[in-house]
Amino acid sequence: MDPADIPGLPEGVPDFLRESGIEALYPPQAEAVDAGVTEGESLVASVPTASGKTLISELAMLSSVERGGKALYVVPLRALASEKKAEFERWSDFDVEVGISTGNYESSEEWLSSRDIVVATSEKVDSLVRNGAPWIEDLTCVVADEVHLVDDPNRGPTLEVTLAKLRRINPGLQVVALSATVDNADEVADWLDAALVKSDWRPVDLRTGVHYGGAITFDDDSQREVPVGRGERPTAALVDDTLDEDGSSLVFVNSRRNAEAAARRLADVTADHLTDDERAELDDIADEVRDVSDTETSDDLAAVVRKGAAFHHAGLAAEHRSLVEDAFRDRLLKAICATPTLAAGVNTPSRRVIVRDWRRYDGEFGGMKPLETLEVHQMFGRAGRPGLDPYGEAVLLANDHDTMDELFDRYVNADPEPVQSKLAREPAMRTHLLATVSSGFARTREGLLDFLDRTLYATQTADTTRLESVVDSTLEYLVANDFVERDGDEITATSLGHTVSRLYLDPMSAAEIVDGLRDADDPTPLGLYHLVCRTPDMYELYLKSGDRETYTELCYERETELLGRVPSEFEEVRFEEWLSALKTAKLLEDWAREVDEDRLTDRYGVGPGDIRGKVDTAEWLLGAAERLATDLELDCVVAVREAKKRVEYGVRDELLDLAGVRGVGRKRARRLFEAGVESRADLREAEKPAVLGALRGRRKTAERVLENAGRRDPSMDEVDADEETAGANDGDADAAAPSATGDQQASLGDFE
């Protein structure tokens, strides 16, 4: 189909598409247009990765805006939201304004009413509905990216309920759901009252197979010789073979440690295939990687990036992941070793995908469990870059003939599993039933069941007995904790229930926080951190070998600070959960005492991304605790607010004012403080040489900091750094870090 034949688009868009190299639509895209996607018809597109799903969504949104409407693009991950916003901004020449919303769950973000397309995570959209964002009623088109993730036990119920609510608010809403090829896409289409476009077509041929015995055997029974030398690993041989044809590789492994180890080994392979220009560019990228955080992880990642390889996992900081992804797309990095999370994430196609590990540890399973077929197929889909690769290859590894046969049966020749709603799980039901009542979508038990009848769960389940049972037990819990009230048949949210829903808290988290705060006379930061860390909304750190003794001792040593009764050691599960929360709280306390990131990663066995994730979650939960304490008129509001600020900035009390200046942060705040600049007001009056010295002679940084502090003349022209100030904090990092219990201030050294 020629772009000129697409109905309903803004004037000039077909010409723009042609100028962008799209002379004709891909077959699935043409099918979507024939099904009415640019004329307001709902659609489920179940097609492989790289087959043009994003353009289908853009056609739907542009045509909706052209008709005077407003579009919402829902994604599963924050990183994907940023990527999509940048992608959609290409339509700005057609007066289409794009906005993004991913954080601050207690906000209606009214400014988004002026945007034509809004990109947001499903959790953010859910919170916008709960907070009554008025522009939600103006939506005419909603795109749900990666809709097969309704199968995910954690994120799936939110996406499912959010789509049901949006359709309830806007009865004529066009829903465009983008999915991987799944076995039951027809059920998803039935749920959304949508047409179905299902296709296996790809713009680049994908060959899938298994490497064993020095060769890849493909699904068409053809073979490619990839011999493995003595002492060589199959993964290295496969990456080297790909590089011989100027291709890149994605290697999927089952753990962070394995990703890092594999990247170190493959760096010696990729280094031999770099040009001098590539080495120079990678050196610059490696320097940027190193500057992201003061951790061993930054050093390790920078070291392999210089050689053309990288690792990618959730323990990395967001800046790390972005640098790696961009360099891989630019073909500077030749191989990435990743955990499976990358398969469902951002756009990182490659010539060859190598699934080295097809099992991973599962605690509930009790050992190493095979990956789902759909997950492996998502990895396969990363192979083959349109316009860059003549084909894509996806390869599993086997070390014997029986395993080779199993991999063909389980993954290569198998269809992906059907997606199944996880809405009936109690944690999901707690949150979404309260939100449904609080938002006024239902006011009776029958009304709740009627609303839930609009979900995928109801579409897939003929027997309503289990759903009714879960609804009844959940309502009992909400009533018992004063979140909802029942008066005959009528169910209403209490003031507390409304607040909990708007704060986007799991009601069980809210109950834990409220109980703890009511017992708190003068809570310490550790006590408050431990309180929020033992809620369901915080993923706790695992207790490793030797941790139980360490944190049991700490528990009794600081028992008076902990809010709530310490479980008996004979209550083994509860006591271990208590200690896991204490370990997580201790990390937060160390962070707020200005302990260096490299010491934290070493002490707690985490990556910089984990630290940032725990800090962000704690900041949100402490903010919610502050709001709850205020509404309940408890005496601990100030203590909670200060604990929140300290964890937000990662500083001791005396640095809170300085660290709050945009561009300062925890390390610069400490250096400024030790140079005698102790507050925002001091920044407006301080001698410029002293400020420049404390900021290590970085003129642009100093000017930006002074401007943000409100200084009338922030210019650093012709200002020389005070050398005495500049050299005042060059001590050893480990020696300089504040002690776990001491009150003295310490230099943190220069870690920029």
Side-chain angles (χ1 to χ4, degrees):
M1 179 182 287
D2 189 291
D5 297 329
I6 304 171
L9 296 179
E11 185 178 352
V13 168
D15 291 336
F16 177 85
L17 292 174
R18 200 176 289 107
E19 290 166 6
S20 301
I22 302 174
E23 296 289 339
L25 297 186
Y26 290 159
Q29 296 167 340
E31 285 186 56
V33 172
D34 289 340
V37 77
T38 61
E39 297 169 289
E41 297 297 325
S42 292
L43 178 81
V44 172
S46 178
V47 296
T49 301
S51 297
K53 291 196 291 285
T54 298
L55 183 59
I56 291 173
S57 73
E58 289 178 300
L59 296 177
M61 293 189 294
L62 288 170
S63 60
S64 187
V65 171
E66 177 67 7
R67 293 191 298 272
K70 184 183 186 72
L72 174 66
Y73 193 96
V74 185
V75 295
L77 303 170
R78 287 191 182 191
L80 195 55
S82 300
E83 181 181 297
K84 290 300 180 185
K85 178 182 182 290
E87 196 172 343
F88 297 155
E89 284 176 338
R90 64 178 177 154
W91 303 112
S92 60
D93 291 343
F94 299 91
D95 295 324
V96 175
E97 292 194 60
V98 183
I100 185 171
S101 180
T102 57
N104 188 6
Y105 289 132
E106 194 187 1
S107 167
S108 63
E109 308 216 358
E110 293 186 17
W111 66 273
L112 290 171
S113 61
S114 65
R115 302 300 187 265
D116 301 299
I117 296 174
V118 176
V119 184
T121 60
S122 54
E123 290 83 4
K124 180 58 184 180
V125 178
D126 186 21
S127 76
L128 288 166
V129 173
R130 297 185 191 197
N131 283 283
W135 57 267
I136 291 289
E137 296 180 4
D138 300 330
L139 292 174
T140 53
C141 175
V142 169
V143 178
D145 198 1
E146 308 276 359
V147 77
H148 54 272
L149 291 177
V150 294
D151 190 78
D152 183 275
N154 298 312
R155 284 196 162 96
T158 297
L159 175 60
E160 184 176 345
V161 169
T162 299
L163 288 176
K165 287 181 179 177
L166 292 175
R167 295 180 70 206
R168 173 84 168 265
I169 295 169
N170 306 283
L173 185 68
Q174 178 188 19
V175 179
V176 178
L178 310 178
S179 172
T181 48
V182 295
D183 191 52
N184 61 335
D186 54 333
E187 286 186 355
V188 178
D190 287 345
W191 163 45
L192 297 173
D193 298 315
L196 174 63
V197 170
K198 188 171 183 178
S199 173
D200 292 326
W201 184 89
R202 283 175 51 97
V204 176
D205 286 339
L206 175 64
R207 307 172 72 201
T208 58
V210 179
H211 182 273
Y212 168 64
I216 305 170
T217 301
F218 291 105
D219 49 357
D220 61 0
D221 292 329
S222 65
Q223 286 194 325
R224 177 186 179 113
E225 295 292 325
V226 184
V228 181
R230 183 181 296 275
E232 187 179 24
R233 295 172 184 258
T235 306
L238 287 163
V239 169
D240 197 36
D241 178 69
T242 312
L243 285 166
D244 285 340
E245 295 186 357
D246 197 30
S248 59
S249 299
L250 271 177
V251 182
F252 286 104
V253 297
N254 60 12
S255 71
R256 298 178 185 185
R257 181 176 295 180
N258 284 339
E260 296 180 15
R264 284 193 292 271
R265 289 192 294 268
L266 291 179
D268 293 331
V269 176
T270 57
D272 292 338
H273 293 267
L274 298 175
T275 66
D276 289 342
D277 287 344
E278 288 173 334
R279 290 180 194 280
E281 289 189 70
L282 287 169
D283 279 343
D284 291 339
I285 295 169
D287 288 342
E288 291 185 66
V289 167
R290 178 62 191 83
D291 287 343
V292 167
S293 68
D294 312 313
T295 62
E296 189 177 337
T297 299
S298 278
D299 291 340
D300 291 345
L301 182 57
V304 293
V305 164
R306 291 186 198 281
K307 295 183 175 183
F311 51 85
H312 188 294
H313 55 62
L316 297 180
E319 298 95 323
H320 283 145
R321 295 196 295 270
S322 180
L323 287 166
V324 167
E325 291 157 10
D326 289 345
F328 191 69
R329 281 192 289 264
D330 292 340
R331 309 187 79 180
L332 291 169
L333 288 175
K334 309 302 181 182
I336 294 180
C337 300
T339 52
T341 51
L342 183 62
V346 293
N347 179 29
T348 50
S350 65
R351 171 74 60 81
R352 179 176 280 166
V353 166
I354 302 164
V355 183
R356 195 196 78 177
D357 300 335
W358 53 279
R359 294 188 183 94
R360 69 167 161 235
Y361 181 77
D362 185 308
E364 292 184 12
F365 183 73
M368 301 299 287
K369 183 181 180 181
L371 300 176
E372 298 287 341
T373 304
L374 176 59
E375 189 171 4
V376 173
H377 281 201
Q378 285 290 91
M379 298 176 193
F380 286 177
R382 296 290 171 194
R385 296 170 293 182
L388 292 174
D389 292 320
Y391 59 87
E393 288 183 353
V395 184
L396 292 139
L397 304 187
N399 52 17
D400 57 57
H401 203 279
D402 287 344
T403 302
M404 179 179 176
D405 290 342
E406 181 181 359
L407 293 176
F408 267 99
D409 291 342
R410 184 184 291 275
Y411 299 117
V412 178
N413 297 326
D415 292 326
E417 302 84 0
V419 298
Q420 295 291 330
S421 169
K422 301 299 189 294
L423 182 59
R425 297 173 68 249
E426 286 194 17
M429 199 60 76
R430 273 196 310 266
T431 297
H432 293 298
L433 279 194
L434 176 59
T436 301
V437 172
S438 178
S439 304
F441 283 93
R443 299 187 184 280
T444 63
R445 176 182 181 275
E446 288 67 31
L448 283 169
L449 292 171
D450 179 63
F451 171 75
L452 293 171
D453 195 47
R454 301 168 182 264
T455 63
L456 177 62
Y457 182 86
T459 301
Q460 294 181 324
T461 309
D463 181 11
T464 62
T465 305
R466 184 187 173 207
L467 185 61
E468 291 180 10
S469 174
V470 175
V471 166
D472 288 338
S473 63
T474 303
L475 283 174
E476 289 177 14
Y477 175 84
L478 295 175
V479 169
N481 285 278
D482 195 31
F483 297 129
V484 302
E485 295 174 337
R486 301 187 75 162
D487 183 6
D489 290 336
E490 189 172 3
I491 303 171
T492 56
T494 63
S495 175
L496 178 61
H498 279 293
T499 299
V500 169
S501 180
R502 287 195 298 268
L503 290 170
Y504 209 70
L505 284 174
D506 181 329
M508 187 173 282
S509 294
E512 186 80 25
I513 290 171
V514 168
D515 287 347
L517 293 181
R518 280 177 170 152
D519 289 339
D521 295 325
D522 185 21
T524 66
L526 180 71
L528 291 167
Y529 299 154
H530 183 253
L531 176 62
V532 299
C533 285
R534 62 180 195 250
T535 66
D537 281 310
M538 174 69 83
Y539 290 99
E540 302 162 351
L541 296 176
Y542 292 111
L543 288 182
K544 298 182 178 180
S545 176
D547 278 352
R548 186 181 176 96
E549 181 178 347
T550 299
Y551 289 99
T552 297
E553 183 178 334
L554 182 66
C555 174
Y556 293 126
E557 179 184 321
R558 304 184 67 177
E559 183 176 359
T560 57
E561 297 181 55
L562 306 182
L563 306 178
R565 182 185 66 84
V566 177
S568 164
E569 292 187 50
F570 297 105
E571 300 175 76
E572 195 143 336
V573 174
R574 286 197 63 225
F575 188 66
E576 185 150 320
E577 289 173 349
W578 187 271
L579 295 183
S580 294
L582 182 56
K583 180 179 179 181
T584 313
K586 192 67 179 68
L587 182 152
L588 295 171
E589 184 186 53
D590 284 352
W591 166 261
R593 285 179 164 177
E594 302 176 48
V595 175
D596 304 336
E597 268 190 279
D598 58 344
R599 295 189 70 195
L600 292 177
T601 57
D602 182 59
R603 182 178 296 172
Y604 295 98
V606 296
D610 298 304
I611 296 173
R612 306 291 170 86
K614 295 288 183 288
V615 166
D616 288 346
T617 303
E619 182 188 343
W620 161 52
L621 290 172
L622 287 164
E626 180 187 351
R627 173 67 183 277
L628 290 169
T630 301
D631 287 1
L632 295 170
E633 299 182 352
L634 302 178
D635 294 333
C636 55
V637 175
V638 173
V640 176
R641 183 181 302 131
E642 290 183 355
K644 171 182 172 289
K645 285 295 183 185
R646 284 192 58 191
V647 84
E648 177 183 356
Y649 297 128
V651 297
R652 294 176 179 244
D653 290 335
E654 71 272 14
L655 294 189
L656 285 174
D657 186 41
L658 265 182
V661 176
R662 191 155 47 93
V664 175
R666 67 200 300 252
K667 292 173 290 184
R668 289 171 180 162
R670 176 56 63 193
R671 289 200 292 268
L672 285 164
F673 188 91
E674 295 192 350
V677 182
E678 300 182 2
S679 68
R680 185 185 298 257
D682 286 350
L683 275 173
R684 293 194 287 268
E685 304 295 335
E687 295 292 331
K688 287 184 178 180
V691 173
L692 187 59
L695 297 179
R696 294 298 181 265
R698 299 189 177 191
R699 294 180 186 277
K700 288 184 179 180
T701 298
E703 289 175 347
R704 187 171 67 250
V705 165
L706 291 181
E707 182 179 0
N708 292 338
R711 188 148 181 164
R712 289 186 177 181
D713 176 22
S715 174
M716 284 285 167
D717 291 344
E718 300 182 6
V719 175
D720 293 324
D722 184 319
E723 292 185 10
E724 184 176 340
T725 302
N729 294 308
D730 288 329
D732 175 76
D734 286 347
S739 67
T741 57
D743 294 326
Q744 73 275 16
Q745 299 306 328
S747 161
L748 294 179
D750 182 11
F751 297 115
E752 291 189 317

